[in-house]
Amino acid sequence: MRGQLLWLFTLGLASSLWAQAPAQVSGWVQVRPDLACGGQPSEAALRALAAAGYRTIIDNRLPGELRPFDEAQLVASLGLRYVSIPVGRPESITPELVRAFARAIEESPKPIYMHCASGNRSAQLYYGYLRLKGHSPEQAKAEARRAGLRDTTALPYVERAVQYWLRQPKRGGTP
């Protein structure tokens, strides 16, 4: 009975997070109850994410991309974890980049909002995360599309990075 109550509580919490899509977030996609993807959030959107209970922001924009405010500073002032994993051109996607993204998803306090300018680069890395977790290329691509993947140009580079890790001796957990 106690286990069932805990399961119901967890389900209720997850469904309440699922339903909270801050209107201020551009391109918002709820990927799973503890993970959302989209475009560059405004200051108001980051405040709304914090109010909705989000605990981590993963930023996949390059440092040189224009922002009207200091995102890292604002995120920290809201008490959230800020993780910067910049993604540029497709050929810049390395095994280390895919591993850093996968670890950020696995190890960061949840729920997580991941973003770039539009959500596409974040969805590309999400494809890599899913492949590392055992999804087939087709399954991972379908889920990444649901997360906001529109341009698949980078997927061969992501797949090459994933294959590097899949060839390594298993040590348990995320590479």
Side-chain angles (χ1 to χ4, degrees), residues 7-79:
W7 183 82
L8 287 173
F9 172 77
T10 303
L11 183 62
L13 177 62
S15 66
S16 71
L17 288 172
W18 188 278
Q20 295 181 13
Q24 302 93 334
V25 181
S26 160
W28 174 276
V29 177
Q30 189 74 51
V31 178
R32 56 187 207 206
D34 64 349
L35 182 66
C37 184
Q40 172 65 49
S42 65
E43 290 182 63
L46 287 170
R47 285 179 172 55
L49 287 166
Y54 278 77
R55 298 180 60 207
T56 301
I57 304 298
I58 299 177
D59 180 0
N60 296 128
R61 295 187 75 191
L62 293 169
E65 291 183 62
L66 295 178
R67 292 178 177 90
F69 61 96
D70 185 336
E71 182 176 346
Q73 183 179 12
L74 177 59
V75 167
S77 75
L78 294 169

Side-chain angles (χ1 to χ4, degrees), residues 85 92-103 125 132 161-162 164-165 175:
I85 303 172
S92 72
I93 297 172
T94 64
E96 292 73 25
L97 187 82
V98 171
R99 176 177 62 179
F101 183 81
R103 284 187 172 167
L125 289 179
L132 288 174
V162 165
Y164 171 84
W165 291 116

Side-chain angles (χ1 to χ4, degrees), residues 108-122:
S108 295
K110 293 173 183 54
I112 296 169
Y113 179 68
M114 58 182 177
H115 77 86
C116 55
S118 67
N120 187 63
R121 287 175 283 176
S122 296

Side-chain angles (χ1 to χ4, degrees), residues 122-136:
S122 296
Q124 291 168 350
L125 289 179
Y126 186 59
Y127 167 91
Y129 167 76
L130 293 170
R131 290 286 292 123
L132 288 174
K133 298 305 283 180
H135 288 68
S136 71

